[in-house]
Amino acid sequence: PRPGSVRAAAGRRSAGGRAPAPAGVARSRSLRVKTARGDVVDCRAVVHCMNGYSAGLLPELEGSLVPVRNQVAVAAPPAGARLPVDAAVYAREGYVYYSPRADGRMVIGGFRDTLPHREVGTHDDGSLDPLVSAALRGYLPAHFPQHYAEAGPGTTDTPPGDGRLHVEYEMEWAGILGFTKDRFPLVGPLPALPEGSRALLQGSSSGNTSTSRAGQYICAGFSGHGMTRSFSCAEAAARMLLGLPPSPDAPMPQAFLPQGRM
């Protein structure tokens, strides 16, 4: 998707009413967010949290923060036996991973290395790649034959009484990851655009292009590790926005800052 735009709107009152301006964000300079359908919101700060879709609003990230489609499935609890593993596992350099759940189900995902392009640059999460699906669904019976028997999607077609369990996949879905070149997320204030680049902030009164992006932040590019990093990164971004010092419990690595990386 291609969102609308973010523009400088000098002197406009924030849509936030009487809320005080966040520390470090100039009170005299608000931002105007205009969506593709024409909705307008005035605010004092904007945080870009679009992960793999970030280049839609920040075109300089094209190629350096890319969308990557990932597929995941859930295998129903095997009847009559324990799961083959009791901890999360990853294999094939991280392209395959699986994790047992407390209720006996197995979550298994990845398999992007089945395809030559490894799903890099794929924006569409509304469809599944059949080659990835076949590799994903065949992994458990191939590697744990004593626990899982080969079966078609959503079926239990292995004859009963053969001493093996049946694979039944309850669901399968796709999601879009956001990968950076160095695999570190981008968290913090956006750097100014270089002179001569296409600015996303434009002076509303004069129409002159501006390279400043004061009041704009980013929290994106988790490179497949969003479940472990997104919460602490979101806290770090919020503390920056409010002018608070870093959290003493989970200080953010300086390598996550976007300066010099976009």
Side-chain angles (χ1 to χ4, degrees):
R2 294 292 174 181
S5 61
V6 180
R7 301 168 180 266
R12 293 190 173 272
R13 183 176 179 180
S14 167
R18 297 184 180 180
V25 179
R27 187 181 293 272
S28 62
R29 184 183 181 86
S30 66
L31 301 176
R32 168 164 290 184
V33 179
K34 184 176 181 180
T35 70
R37 65 182 185 183
D39 298 325
V40 175
V41 177
D42 288 341
C43 52
R44 291 194 178 98
V46 170
V47 184
H48 297 265
C49 300
M50 299 184 296
N51 209 32
Y53 299 106
S54 296
L57 205 55
L58 301 171
E60 73 270 29
L61 288 175
E62 194 77 44
S64 60
L65 200 174
V66 297
V68 177
R69 183 167 64 184
N70 188 60
Q71 289 180 214
V72 185
V74 176
R82 293 172 12 177
L83 288 169
V85 296
D86 60 3
V89 177
Y90 78 92
R92 296 202 326 225
E93 298 183 349
Y95 284 106
V96 172
Y97 60 91
Y98 44 98
S99 176
R101 305 287 89 184
D103 61 5
R105 295 185 297 171
M106 181 78 80
V107 177
I108 180 167
F111 299 88
R112 296 186 294 107
D113 58 340
T114 305
L115 305 175
H117 68 294
R118 301 187 178 186
E119 295 283 40
V120 175
T122 302
H123 294 83
D124 178 23
D125 62 355
S127 61
L128 301 175
D129 186 278
L131 294 178
V132 173
S133 290
L136 187 156
R137 290 172 178 271
Y139 188 89
L140 291 177
H143 289 79
F144 304 104
Q146 72 276 25
H147 291 85
Y148 294 100
E150 189 74 58
T155 67
T156 55
D157 57 9
T158 304
D162 65 351
R164 297 189 299 169
L165 303 179
H166 309 287
V167 182
E168 180 179 353
Y169 290 98
E170 296 181 349
M171 63 187 75
E172 183 179 358
W173 67 95
I176 304 301
L177 311 174
F179 273 66
T180 60
K181 289 182 176 180
D182 58 13
R183 301 299 187 261
F184 289 163
L186 295 162
V187 184
L190 291 182
L193 285 167
E195 291 293 337
S197 6
R198 182 166 73 100
L200 296 179
L201 287 179
Q202 297 177 342
S204 60
S205 57
S206 64
N208 294 329
T209 299
S210 169
T211 59
S212 171
R213 289 189 288 192
Q216 291 200 61
Y217 297 76
I218 188 170
C219 188
F222 297 104
S223 304
H225 296 283
M227 293 298 291
T228 54
R229 288 177 169 173
S230 58
F231 293 102
S232 58
C233 287
E235 179 185 0
R239 296 179 76 91
M240 292 179 198
L241 188 69
L242 297 172
L244 299 176
S247 168
D249 299 321
M252 189 189 78
Q254 293 292 306
F256 290 5
L257 290 170
Q259 282 69 24
R261 300 175 56 220
M262 55 179 295

